[in-house]
Amino acid sequence: MKTPVEYYEELQSRYDKIGAGFCVLKWHHLEMHLGSAQSHSCFHCPQRHINLHEDFHNTLQKKRQRKTMLDGGRPVECGYCWKAEDAGSISPRIALTPIYTQMEPDIIETTAKLNWDDDVYPKYLEMSFSNKCQMKCSYCSTQNSSTLHEEIKKHGEYPLIHTDNYNQYKSHGRENLWDEDSEMYDKFWKWIRKAIMHLRVIRVTGGEPLLSEHTFKLAKFIRNHPNGENVAFHVNSNLSVTTRRVNRLIKTMSQMESPKIYASIDTVGEQAEWIRHGLSWKTFELNLIQILNAHIPVGLMVTFNLLSIPKFKEFLDYVLSLKRLGDIKLDTPYMTDPKHLSALILDDKMMQTLKDALNYMEEQTDDNDPQKFNSGEFQKFKTVVTWVEKNRLDGPELNTHRKDFKIFVDEHDRRRDASWHDAFPELHYFYDGIE
């Protein structure tokens, strides 16, 4: 049996025979957010507006990107992957493809035979019903968190220097374009009745999905549909919700085919709580253990950012302890925006801490031991380290984003009665060194 890395190399070779930028996700993956009327081909591509008169998936804009891929080109909107690959790393394009080759072993080759303007149904749907969420993570936006939206309405935008950083927390008017009794939701429920015959995975995100009744309505729809037995049901969650809600989730997932829960967390303890404001580390731990004890597979989703670095080795030890309890895998996509919280503004000392964590993870990697990291998990984190090392900011750009980091920390703590200085004593020198 091939290791994950060996299989990634095989997939890269198969893709290269078609073109430099070919990716099956452009045909078979759809992410959409009904409340804000936005969609994209994968999490790393820019979001596009959903028009009521257009198909959710086969838009003209997306078909043009497919044509670029079939013609051997690399779509500009897929730059997240190109940056990783140009740095010599494994990109999400490669790392996510095994999801689809498990569905159809020759899906790369059969997809390449399609015409660029052919209509297809996605095989993997990730979607949110609304931005309702009880948390306000440091890097989040108002269209993804109702609680952050309320904060911005009360206190205004964060007074950041760089336009992109400032706009991250600005209310753009998309937060509640469509409510749950609107035409957009009617369009979805009509579409899903046909799409379910083609879908293999349906994954609900947020906001916080456990706060939406539509999550459980969708689960019931899948469970009662004749093709439901062929559809895996997955749910993202911050797991900082009540035991009652987690028990309901576990009961629901136990009735589904191939269930999986993705838990969002970026580091451990007090530092995790500061990054993801509203998180209770104790509640998260208890809920996660309860899910593992129910024998439901878990994926840990790290939005890797600057503040993940100080205790990431400790976090790796935490993940290893969880692997002794059940089926749990680690994913570490790096955060590109907002840049004032990106790992790209780190200094040499933090870069060494990051490399030390990578070396430690490599020591704890063994494809033959389920209680260790597998080579796929290791390669994903290695991609983070390589990307950071080759793309570190410098000069005026670095100075601006570091200044915004300091402004954000101060304003965050003032608004939320928090204390970054208590949570991150290892980084006092970094904060103090910003002029």
Side-chain angles (χ1 to χ4, degrees):
M1 177 181 289
K2 291 184 173 71
T3 66
V5 173
E6 290 171 338
Y7 191 53
Y8 291 157
E9 292 172 349
E10 176 190 312
L11 293 174
Q12 181 75 64
S13 176
R14 288 167 64 183
Y15 270 142
D16 287 346
K17 292 177 182 178
I18 300 166
F22 193 75
C23 177
V24 297
L25 274 75
K26 196 65 74 179
W27 280 262
H28 303 299
H29 187 100
L30 171 63
E31 295 192 20
M32 63 180 179
H33 308 280
L34 296 183
S36 61
Q38 292 177 296
S39 70
H40 42 177
S41 303
C42 79
F43 181 76
H44 304 298
C45 291
Q47 298 190 65
R48 308 288 179 177
H49 180 71
I50 299 174
N51 294 304
L52 275 176
H53 67 274
E54 261 190 318
D55 183 73
F56 280 126
H57 187 47
N58 297 291
T59 64
L60 179 59
Q61 184 276 335
K62 187 178 291 184
K63 287 181 177 181
R64 286 171 175 163
Q65 307 309 307
R66 293 171 182 170
K67 185 178 188 302
T68 297
M69 288 185 171
L70 289 170
D71 290 344
R74 300 167 107 190
V76 174
E77 71 172 19
C78 303
Y80 186 102
C81 283
W82 313 144
K83 287 180 180 178
E85 292 179 18
D86 291 347
S89 299
I90 294 173
S91 72
R93 173 176 78 118
I94 305 300
L96 293 174
T97 295
I99 295 173
Y100 302 91
T101 54
Q102 287 176 3
M103 298 175 186
E104 295 180 19
D106 60 348
I107 196 169
I108 294 175
E109 292 74 20
T110 57
T111 302
K113 294 177 182 178
L114 295 172
N115 295 317
W116 70 271
D117 56 352
D118 285 344
D119 285 345
V120 296
Y121 278 102
K123 297 182 184 299
Y124 193 120
L125 169 66
E126 183 168 355
M127 62 165 301
S128 70
F129 289 103
S130 77
N131 71 339
K132 188 176 182 180
C133 184
Q134 83 282 24
M135 289 170 50
K136 40 188 177 182
C137 300
S138 298
Y139 43 71
C140 199
S141 64
T142 57
Q143 66 196 41
N144 292 314
S145 168
S146 57
T147 304
L148 178 59
H149 187 210
E150 290 302 315
E151 176 188 287
I152 298 302
K153 287 194 292 184
K154 180 179 179 180
H155 296 287
E157 287 78 20
Y158 280 74
L160 303 178
I161 302 167
H162 196 282
T163 302
D164 291 343
N165 297 336
Y166 175 84
N167 286 338
Q168 178 71 20
Y169 308 100
K170 186 177 181 180
S171 178
H172 296 282
R174 303 197 70 98
E175 292 78 14
N176 298 295
L177 277 182
W178 299 96
D179 62 36
E180 298 185 1
D181 296 316
S182 66
E183 294 174 274
M184 184 63 71
Y185 285 74
D186 292 343
K187 174 183 171 73
F188 166 74
W189 287 110
K190 181 179 180 181
W191 176 82
I192 195 67
R193 288 180 175 87
K194 294 181 179 179
I196 194 172
M197 298 303 298
H198 307 270
L199 286 163
R200 300 291 295 275
V201 178
I202 297 178
R203 178 172 170 180
V204 186
T205 186
E208 170 49 50
L210 302 191
L211 302 182
S212 172
E213 280 301 315
H214 279 278
T215 299
F216 299 96
K217 178 181 177 181
L218 180 58
K220 184 177 180 180
F221 168 76
I222 297 168
R223 190 167 62 246
N224 293 336
H225 194 278
N227 196 49
E229 63 183 9
N230 297 315
V231 180
F233 186 62
H234 300 170
V235 174
N236 294 354
S237 178
N238 57 50
L239 290 190
S240 206
V241 294
T242 62
T243 301
R244 176 181 62 83
R245 292 188 186 277
V246 172
N247 286 338
R248 185 185 186 191
L249 174 65
I250 291 172
K251 181 178 179 180
T252 299
M253 299 304 267
S254 67
Q255 298 170 333
M256 308 301 292
E257 293 294 327
S258 304
K260 187 169 184 176
I261 296 170
Y262 290 87
S264 301
I265 196 72
D266 302 326
T267 182
V268 294
E270 188 178 4
Q271 295 189 356
E273 292 178 338
W274 193 95
I275 296 170
R276 301 176 57 79
H277 189 84
L279 168 74
S280 164
W281 175 253
K282 181 178 180 180
T283 299
F284 176 88
E285 278 195 293
L286 292 174
N287 286 337
L288 182 54
I289 290 172
Q290 188 176 351
I291 290 166
L292 289 172
N293 287 340
H295 307 292
I296 299 172
V298 172
L300 286 181
M301 301 184 297
V302 174
T303 302
F304 196 88
N305 62 87
L306 180 77
L307 299 179
S308 300
I309 296 174
K311 290 194 174 181
F312 204 71
K313 181 175 177 293
E314 185 177 331
F315 177 74
L316 293 174
D317 278 330
Y318 172 65
V319 178
L320 288 172
S321 72
L322 294 173
K323 285 178 176 287
R324 294 192 285 269
L325 301 179
D327 182 357
I328 189 163
K329 297 292 187 296
L330 176 64
D331 192 12
T332 50
Y334 52 82
M335 187 196 76
T336 55
D337 296 296
K339 285 192 170 58
H340 68 282
L341 295 175
S342 165
L344 296 185
I345 70 166
L346 86 178
D347 61 8
D348 291 343
K349 182 177 180 180
M350 295 170 75
M351 187 71 237
Q352 187 58 53
T353 300
L354 192 53
K355 289 180 178 179
D356 290 344
L358 179 67
N359 292 335
Y360 178 71
M361 189 177 186
E362 185 172 26
E363 294 170 358
Q364 301 298 323
T365 297
D366 185 345
D367 285 320
N368 297 312
D369 187 347
Q371 294 185 12
K372 299 287 188 178
F373 297 107
N374 66 41
S375 56
E377 292 172 294
F378 170 72
Q379 283 297 325
K380 289 178 180 180
F381 185 49
K382 184 178 180 181
T383 293
V384 174
V385 179
T386 301
W387 173 76
V388 172
E389 189 168 27
K390 294 194 175 183
N391 293 280
R392 288 175 63 177
L393 301 182
D394 57 19
E397 185 181 16
L398 175 62
N399 292 336
T400 298
H401 290 302
R402 283 186 176 176
K403 286 178 181 178
D404 272 349
F405 169 80
K406 191 170 187 177
I407 293 170
F408 178 81
V409 164
D410 293 344
E411 183 67 11
H412 171 287
D413 286 357
R414 183 188 69 81
R415 294 183 180 200
R416 303 179 183 182
D417 193 27
S419 177
W420 180 88
H421 289 82
D422 287 347
F424 293 91
E426 310 96 324
L427 297 184
H428 285 185
Y429 79 93
F430 181 78
Y431 174 97
D432 293 340
I434 299 173
E435 298 180 358

